[in-house]
Amino acid sequence: MPESATLQREKGTDIYYSLGEHLKEKSRELCGVLFLHCGDCGSPSQLKDRIRDFLQHEPGLKPEVQQDSSTQAIAVLLPGLTLDATHYQALLLKQHLQDTMENVEPRITLTVFPGQVEPTPGVLRQMAESTRLDISSDIHIFTRGESIQTPGRILIVDHDDTVREFLNIRLQMQGFETLEAMDGTSALELIEKWEPDLVLTELNLYGIDGLPFIHQIRQLPIESTPKIVVLTERRVEKTISQCFQYGVDDYVTKPFSPVELDARIHRCFH
Amino acid sequence: MVAIYYVMIVNVLYFTIMGLSYRSISTIARRTKYSSYNTLSGSELVPPVSLLVPAYNEELTIIENVYCLMTLNYPTYEVIVINDGSSDQTLSVLISEFKLEKMANPDIRGTIETQNVRGIYHNSDYPHLFIIDKENGGKADSLNAGINLSHYPLISSIDADSLLEKDALIRMARMYMENPEETVAIGGDVRIANGCLIENGAVQKVSLPRKIWPMFQSIEYLKAFLGGRIGWSRMNGLIIVSGAFGLFRKDYVIAVGGYRGGYPGEDMNIIIKLHRYMLSHKLPYKVAFCPEAVCWTQAPDSYKIISNQRKRWGRGNLKNMIENRGMLFNPKYKVMGMITMPYNVLFETLNPYFRITGLLALIGYTLLDMTHWRILLTFFLLNFLSGYLLSVGAIVLEEIAFRRYKKLSDLWKMLLFSALKFVGYHQLGVLWRVQGHIQYLRKNNSWGTMTRQSWKEESKAA
């Protein structure tokens, strides 16, 4: 089970990573990017071919069509197009799909690089996700505002149910995506699969002790190591200095001030 | 008639001890509930502890145990595993799991004589883990070697087949910190882990054992620890701190010459020696019992192993009593000399002989038609009822203070087996003790085999 999950993850990240790299290379040239997702309209690869056929027949386009197997979204790069040109193509594409297929509701998110947002893998993934979760059939233009609206993913690791619940609610209200883990070993699995931007962890954990846990997070085969904020009962100075040596970003002791914790987490994101 | 007086005295004593337990229990329950162990477990002020884990042929369980011990909620501590010349792969599984390396210049500061230490292993990624590899010399010898290496002022001996609860050590330390000058030793509560669900080196779901031998032992332990030791510790007459989990002040353990090698019963021996030392130097002291610090141990589940274990206990007990007979009825030794030791000799060590003679006398009387069968029956019934009441008393104590067994069916099962214990199991206990004494007289001095099961199989079976 874990193996298949990692495989999926590799494929999933590859596309955003390679797209990101691709876009960075031609950072000077304009490039429209749109993500398309439609609920259940036959096999995605068929859809992909259909889109490619359609776009290739449009004059003056050199489209690149790729597909992300994990979100089922289809990514289309339209080099040289401005934002309104991309939007126009998206409208045409949507019209075409609705004419040729039955019961399709294509949902499209688009933007243009270089533009308001940087083409990082995270932003691209976020675009794909928002396409998938979109409920309106209007074409959606992805702006800077949105990329700040969902600031990141936080994994909360603590054995205490009450603490986890409190942090979970508080952080979600601030717009963070959160997941919880009870103990060190399941947290490690989650980090690998879900790739959070920040891990908020206690040091007293089951399965694996806090320090080796932090050490292992940093050795996981993932692209960008998450930031680590320790929130713990332990206040022995030696432990604190060891944690910083192991590369944690911040250390907060319990009982903690929620406002202070917010501030420290926000600082990690900026 | 002697037999009847004996039974009466024994029961009065048992009930007194149990009564003392009841007087303490509300304090204990409140302490368990309301003390802020979490905050303590991160405090700079908690004294550091060296955990000593003697291991002899423990390749199946040792890794799980070390992981468990390394994730305790405790600010500063170290884990010292002592490989006592195991004939299996204990050392090599440890080395490969934790990527240990032999230390070039180990710093051994101790003064107690032990068998030759072959090497000390360490890995800087796990700064608080040390493995001592030494020639075989028994459990006491291993503990002494551990004391020699230990860096901290408190030591705690833990069996390699036991799992500590995460809070166990901090709970003990809390008790120690209440009176650090006088507390020389603290015992923990030992419970039977057979039947419990074990995951990640911790007991996740508590339930009773399925097999019959561990089941009897569960009740026996409950009775001994909750019904007995709480009461004994209240009058500072505790004669034993279980070898499976206890905390000691290192300076006094060294002062009494460390653990005595060469004979089982080293856990009782060290406590008697500590009592003796403190009393003869007229130092105020306390040997405490901390029932909320729980250690889960694997109980033997076959006749052969349990009988071996009990014979060993019988042998150790006799040896300790003979060695320390000078303390008996010696007013200098206060509670210890006047109550605990005589109690132990009369009602623990000599218990089987009284029982057997009592039984023989009863049979004799009956054959000679000197007793009426009604009297006989009331005698048996009284005996049974008082014993049963003691067991039930212990179960009630458990329910008042701890409530580890959550299922109602477990409660019924405990009550049932407390009664069944009197048919067969008790009699076997008497037999094993006598056999132990015979072994002692024959100078048979083996530890006996203790086979281990992997914790994983255990939790699968449950």
Side-chain angles (χ1 to χ4, degrees):
Chain A
M1 192 52 204
E3 260 175 41
S4 66
T6 39
L7 268 181
Q8 205 178 26
R9 178 185 62 76
E10 272 162 18
K11 266 192 203 160
T13 49
D14 269 346
I15 166 169
Y16 301 115
Y17 190 69
S18 62
L19 276 179
E21 289 293 299
H22 186 78
L23 288 166
K24 252 180 220 162
E25 271 171 34
K26 333 182 185 174
S27 57
R28 298 288 164 82
E29 299 169 31
L30 273 178
C31 181
V33 175
L34 69 85
F35 282 89
L36 186 144
H37 190 279
C38 65
D40 30 37
C41 46
S43 88
S45 55
Q46 230 176 340
L47 187 69
K48 192 170 102 181
D49 295 339
R50 205 182 274 266
I51 293 169
R52 187 179 286 139
D53 285 348
F54 172 74
L55 290 173
Q56 268 165 356
H57 288 104
E58 290 290 304
L61 278 187
K62 281 171 275 168
E64 282 178 49
V65 185
Q66 288 188 34
Q67 183 204 339
D68 173 15
S69 54
S70 65
T71 53
Q72 304 291 338
I74 287 164
V76 183
L77 296 192
L78 301 164
L81 261 62
T82 55
L83 188 62
D84 47 350
T86 315
H87 192 248
Y88 175 67
Q89 284 303 332
L91 277 169
L92 288 181
L93 177 64
K94 186 176 158 194
Q95 191 61 46
H96 170 74
L97 288 176
Q98 276 173 339
D99 288 345
T100 52
M101 294 162 78
E102 281 176 17
N103 295 333
V104 284
E105 278 179 30
R107 282 157 299 173
I108 297 176
T109 302
L110 62 86
T111 190
V112 64
F113 297 114
Q116 288 195 318
V117 280
E118 286 294 304
T120 58
V123 167
L124 292 167
R125 186 188 296 120
Q126 203 186 331
M127 281 179 73
E129 283 284 320
S130 76
T131 318
R132 186 166 69 85
L133 300 175
D134 202 358
I135 35 167
S136 89
S137 57
D138 294 341
I139 290 173
H140 182 108
I141 297 172
F142 194 81
T143 55
R144 182 198 295 274
E146 270 172 273
S147 68
I148 298 167
Q149 254 176 26
T150 46
R153 301 173 150 188
I154 298 181
L155 177 68
I156 303 162
V157 191
D158 199 305
H159 185 67
D160 190 331
D161 297 334
T162 328
V163 172
R164 272 205 324 273
E165 192 186 350
F166 172 79
L167 290 173
N168 199 10
I169 292 172
R170 193 175 173 92
L171 292 172
Q172 274 183 356
M173 278 170 66
Q174 294 170 22
F176 290 103
E177 251 186 278
T178 55
L179 272 190
E180 305 173 16
M182 286 268 280
D183 58 66
T185 31
S186 64
L188 282 174
E189 271 175 38
L190 264 177
I191 292 172
E192 215 176 329
K193 276 189 218 163
W194 191 57
E195 295 195 23
D197 303 305
L198 187 140
V199 178
L200 182 62
T201 180
E202 167 66 83
L203 288 179
N204 292 334
L205 301 169
Y206 279 93
I208 180 169
D209 188 44
L211 283 170
F213 173 65
I214 290 166
H215 192 63
Q216 293 225 357
I217 294 179
R218 308 191 70 83
Q219 290 181 338
L220 284 175
I222 45 178
E223 228 168 79
S224 56
T225 315
K227 305 243 177 191
I228 301 169
V229 175
V230 174
L231 173 67
T232 182
E233 302 275 1
R234 289 206 210 169
R235 50 188 78 240
V236 179
E237 279 166 11
K238 205 174 154 206
T239 318
I240 300 178
S241 69
Q242 258 173 340
C243 276
F244 279 110
Q245 269 172 27
Y246 275 48
V248 306
D249 293 274
D250 218 326
Y251 195 104
V252 184
T253 54
K254 289 182 194 168
F256 62 97
S257 139
V259 177
E260 183 193 335
L261 183 71
D262 290 346
R264 286 175 189 273
I265 287 175
H266 277 287
R267 200 179 56 185
C268 283
F269 276 103
H270 296 299
Chain B
M1 279 324 274
V2 178
I4 290 173
Y5 284 126
Y6 179 84
V7 169
M8 272 166 61
I9 297 171
V10 121
N11 280 324
V12 167
L13 250 172
Y14 278 149
F15 280 109
T16 321
I17 298 294
M18 172 80 67
L20 287 175
S21 294
Y22 268 92
R23 289 197 62 180
S24 309
I25 199 72
S26 67
T27 323
I28 292 168
R30 266 176 283 150
R31 193 167 69 202
T32 312
K33 234 182 185 164
Y34 301 117
S35 283
S36 53
Y37 293 109
N38 270 337
T39 312
L40 259 188
S41 77
S43 167
E44 194 91 63
L45 301 169
V46 177
V49 178
S50 300
L51 304 183
L52 311 181
V53 189
Y56 177 69
N57 290 353
E58 309 272 4
E59 60 178 7
L60 284 178
T61 54
I62 192 75
I63 298 294
E64 190 101 343
N65 283 306
V66 171
Y67 272 121
C68 163
L69 290 177
M70 295 212 311
T71 57
L72 297 180
N73 288 351
Y74 202 85
T76 316
Y77 69 102
E78 61 182 357
V79 179
I80 301 175
V81 180
I82 306 109
N83 174 40
D84 189 21
S86 300
S87 55
D88 68 354
Q89 301 298 311
T90 306
L91 184 65
S92 52
V93 293
L94 279 168
I95 289 176
S96 66
E97 177 71 30
F98 296 102
K99 302 184 182 59
L100 301 165
E101 277 166 29
K102 198 164 179 169
M103 285 170 84
N105 255 332
D107 163 30
I108 302 179
R109 54 185 81 185
T111 43
I112 310 172
E113 284 284 306
T114 63
Q115 293 284 335
N116 181 30
V117 171
R118 288 189 287 226
I120 289 162
Y121 296 83
H122 186 246
N123 174 1
S124 52
D125 281 348
Y126 300 94
H128 306 303
L129 178 68
F130 296 88
I131 314 289
I132 301 177
D133 182 34
K134 61 183 268 295
E135 313 268 331
N136 183 274
K139 189 174 168 187
D141 194 59
S142 308
L143 287 169
N144 288 338
I147 291 172
N148 285 346
L149 178 74
S150 65
H151 303 93
Y152 297 139
L154 293 176
I155 53 165
S156 172
S157 67
I158 291 155
D159 276 0
D161 61 340
S162 306
L163 293 174
L164 288 197
E165 283 193 354
K166 265 176 105 66
D167 280 343
L169 200 60
I170 191 71
R171 283 167 195 254
M172 259 191 189
R174 195 206 72 104
M175 190 173 248
Y176 171 78
M177 286 164 76
E178 275 178 2
N179 194 350
E181 273 305 306
E182 294 182 5
T183 312
V184 292
I186 305 175
D189 186 13
V190 179
R191 284 159 185 264
I192 303 293
N194 303 41
C196 296
L197 178 70
I198 290 150
E199 258 174 33
N200 269 338
V203 172
Q204 300 288 355
K205 224 185 238 162
V206 178
S207 62
L208 285 171
R210 297 206 163 173
K211 291 187 184 164
I212 187 161
W213 293 116
M215 184 65 219
F216 281 130
Q217 290 173 78
S218 276
I219 292 162
E220 211 179 3
Y221 276 51
L222 214 59
K223 192 172 148 188
F225 281 90
L226 297 185
R229 291 194 191 171
I230 296 178
W232 281 114
S233 73
R234 202 180 152 91
M235 55 181 182
N236 201 17
L238 208 58
I239 198 171
I240 183 168
V241 156
S242 168
F245 181 34
L247 184 79
F248 301 85
R249 265 185 62 172
K250 189 164 85 174
D251 47 353
Y252 284 115
V253 172
I254 291 175
V256 301
Y259 286 85
R260 172 209 53 190
Y263 225 86
E266 80 297 325
D267 44 0
M268 182 187 271
N269 184 265
I270 189 83
I271 295 298
I272 298 180
K273 280 201 292 192
L274 282 172
H275 275 293
R276 199 173 183 148
Y277 179 88
M278 301 309 281
L279 286 166
S280 48
H281 286 75
K282 299 210 162 43
L283 297 165
Y285 78 104
K286 192 155 174 40
V287 175
F289 175 66
C290 183
E292 65 265 36
V294 175
C295 159
W296 295 89
T297 196
Q298 229 178 59
D301 58 0
S302 73
Y303 176 82
K304 195 164 165 260
I305 300 170
I306 186 178
S307 68
N308 267 334
Q309 185 195 37
R310 293 309 153 100
K311 284 179 211 166
R312 194 176 72 229
W313 290 1
R315 194 148 39 98
N317 185 299
L318 184 62
K319 169 84 175 171
N320 284 327
M321 291 303 120
I322 292 175
E323 258 182 9
N324 294 289
R325 60 187 179 277
M327 287 172 83
L328 206 60
F329 295 116
N330 186 341
K332 195 173 108 184
Y333 295 112
K334 296 184 184 158
V335 178
M336 207 48 201
M338 300 309 285
I339 306 177
T340 313
M341 291 288 285
Y343 162 85
N344 231 279
V345 172
L346 283 173
F347 305 118
E348 296 288 331
T349 318
L350 299 180
N351 177 329
Y353 306 106
F354 279 106
R355 276 174 186 262
I356 292 168
T357 45
L359 193 70
L360 287 178
L362 269 180
I363 293 170
Y365 288 147
T366 327
L367 288 181
L368 295 171
D369 232 4
M370 281 165 70
T371 41
H372 206 274
W373 64 270
R374 270 191 201 148
I375 297 174
L376 209 61
L377 195 70
T378 29
F379 185 75
F380 274 121
L381 264 179
L382 273 178
N383 206 349
F384 167 79
L385 271 181
S386 64
Y388 191 60
L389 213 62
L390 285 169
S391 292
V392 173
I395 295 171
V396 172
L397 281 176
E398 156 79 16
E399 290 300 306
I400 294 175
F402 306 110
R403 287 187 169 269
R404 300 268 172 182
Y405 297 100
K406 299 265 182 339
K407 282 184 283 182
L408 200 62
S409 63
D410 277 349
L411 196 65
W412 289 116
K413 206 171 152 193
M414 280 197 282
L415 288 174
L416 173 73
F417 274 83
S418 312
L420 287 181
K421 214 155 68 97
F422 292 92
V423 195
Y425 187 73
H426 259 216
Q427 288 73 3
L428 277 174
V430 171
L431 176 75
W432 290 328
R433 202 166 275 173
V434 175
Q435 284 178 325
H437 293 174
I438 295 172
Q439 280 183 346
Y440 175 79
L441 295 175
R442 284 190 180 161
K443 304 213 178 347
N444 170 350
N445 191 13
S446 65
W447 187 269
T449 47
M450 276 293 278
T451 44
R452 297 264 182 268
Q453 275 177 323
S454 163
W455 289 110
K456 282 168 194 147
E457 283 165 33
E458 185 74 36
S459 48
K460 251 182 232 160

